[in-house]
Amino acid sequence: MESIECTRGCPNTSKINEDLVKDDFTPSKLGTKEYWDDAYQRELQTFKDIGDVGEIWFGEESMDRVLRWMEKEEIPEDAAILDIGTGNGVLLVELAKSGYTNLTGIDYSAASVKLARSVLQTEDFSNVEVKEVDFLSCSGELRGFDVCIDKGTFDAISLNPENTEEGKACYIQSLRGALKEEGLFVITSCNWTKEQLLQMFNQGFDFVKELPTPHFQFGGKTGNSVTAIIFKRLH
């Protein structure tokens, strides 16, 4: 198994934190590595037993939404694409089925990496690269990507009971390093609103567009069940 070990260090953490929103959520086990190690170990065993890939985070529509946008924007099939927190690798499978050929998935859970590789191999996409990487600790190790996709990983980092602000700051710094100049970042979140994401990613990124997501009404107010935003990395 390929594993990248890095040392966490975010020299600009305090500067970034001044601009982060402060109304965080109650810490949750969903923000811990132990939770995801256990979850993916169970899903890996289930996949071995019955071939079930497990939960698709935010559902299939969340993947279809991103794929439709990529097709509309004519993202080249050879674009370097990074799936941040790949989980079971299902998004990588769908990207490969859509013709994209330069794909990388990362996850800090070894069980996730094993599961994703198994799922990709079953779909005859074993050439897709999946690495065991802690995105928060790998500044400089991941570079040159045209598109980075996050579907719930930043949400989980925001729920970590320890060092939440540092984690978010490190994430933003690692994202800057991973993307090429004018590279695109696609984030889907169920925890953060458009306005909050715009505030958190206001250093080094430019807002491109918001993708349509399902609406709901409650108490006379209208909201979104998830938020999907496209950012561009600035010079």
Side-chain angles (χ1 to χ4, degrees):
M1 173 181 298
E2 181 174 1
S3 176
I4 296 177
E5 296 293 337
C6 307
T7 301
R8 179 174 299 185
C10 299
N12 295 323
T13 296
S14 59
K15 185 175 187 298
I16 295 173
N17 280 344
E18 290 175 0
D19 296 310
L20 292 178
V21 294
K22 299 300 181 183
D23 52 340
D24 289 339
F25 304 93
T26 302
S28 166
K29 63 182 181 180
L30 290 172
T32 66
K33 185 175 185 297
E34 292 75 18
Y35 173 85
W36 294 108
D37 281 338
D38 291 344
Y40 285 120
Q41 190 60 53
R42 291 193 300 271
E43 291 193 3
L44 177 60
Q45 188 59 53
T46 300
F47 182 73
K48 290 178 178 178
D49 292 342
I50 62 174
D52 186 344
V53 299
E55 183 178 1
I56 298 176
W57 205 243
F58 299 145
E60 293 185 7
E61 173 58 24
S62 64
M63 296 190 297
D64 294 341
R65 184 183 304 117
V66 173
L67 291 167
R68 288 194 300 268
W69 168 78
M70 294 176 69
E71 181 179 3
K72 183 178 180 180
E73 294 299 314
E74 299 182 345
I75 303 297
E77 291 184 349
D78 62 350
I81 300 172
L82 178 65
D83 182 16
I84 304 170
T86 194
N88 55 19
V90 172
L91 177 57
L92 292 172
V93 170
E94 295 305 312
L95 287 164
K97 286 181 177 179
S98 297
Y100 294 100
T101 58
N102 189 2
L103 304 172
T104 301
I106 60 168
D107 204 291
Y108 68 177
S109 169
S112 159
V113 171
K114 290 180 180 178
L115 175 60
R117 287 175 176 169
S118 297
V119 171
L120 286 159
Q121 185 175 13
T122 299
E123 297 286 345
D124 294 325
F125 294 125
S126 56
N127 59 314
V128 174
E129 188 171 25
V130 183
K131 301 177 181 180
E132 183 184 343
V133 176
D134 182 351
F135 190 61
L136 302 188
S137 303
C138 290
S139 178
E141 295 291 331
L142 298 164
R143 290 192 177 278
F145 289 94
D146 298 293
V147 180
C148 289
I149 302 174
D150 179 318
K151 193 162 61 68
T153 298
F154 189 72
D155 281 359
I157 291 167
S158 302
L159 294 173
N160 193 317
E162 299 180 0
N163 301 320
T164 303
E165 294 302 322
E166 179 189 358
K168 289 188 289 187
C170 286
Y171 180 102
I172 293 167
Q173 181 170 301
S174 294
L175 181 64
R176 288 178 186 157
L179 276 171
K180 293 179 180 177
E181 290 186 3
E182 298 192 352
L184 297 168
F185 173 51
V186 188
I187 181 169
T188 301
S189 170
C190 66
N191 285 350
W192 301 107
T193 65
K194 173 184 176 181
E195 290 72 23
Q196 289 172 319
L197 290 172
L198 290 177
Q199 185 177 354
M200 284 186 283
F201 290 90
N202 68 352
Q203 293 188 20
F205 298 91
D206 194 17
F207 171 72
V208 176
K209 71 179 301 182
E210 180 179 13
L211 301 182
T213 58
H215 287 71
F216 67 88
Q217 282 192 324
F218 182 77
K221 296 184 178 180
T222 300
N224 296 75
S225 55
V226 296
T227 302
I229 302 289
I230 313 295
F231 290 98
K232 178 184 290 187
R233 184 190 183 281
L234 301 176
H235 296 290

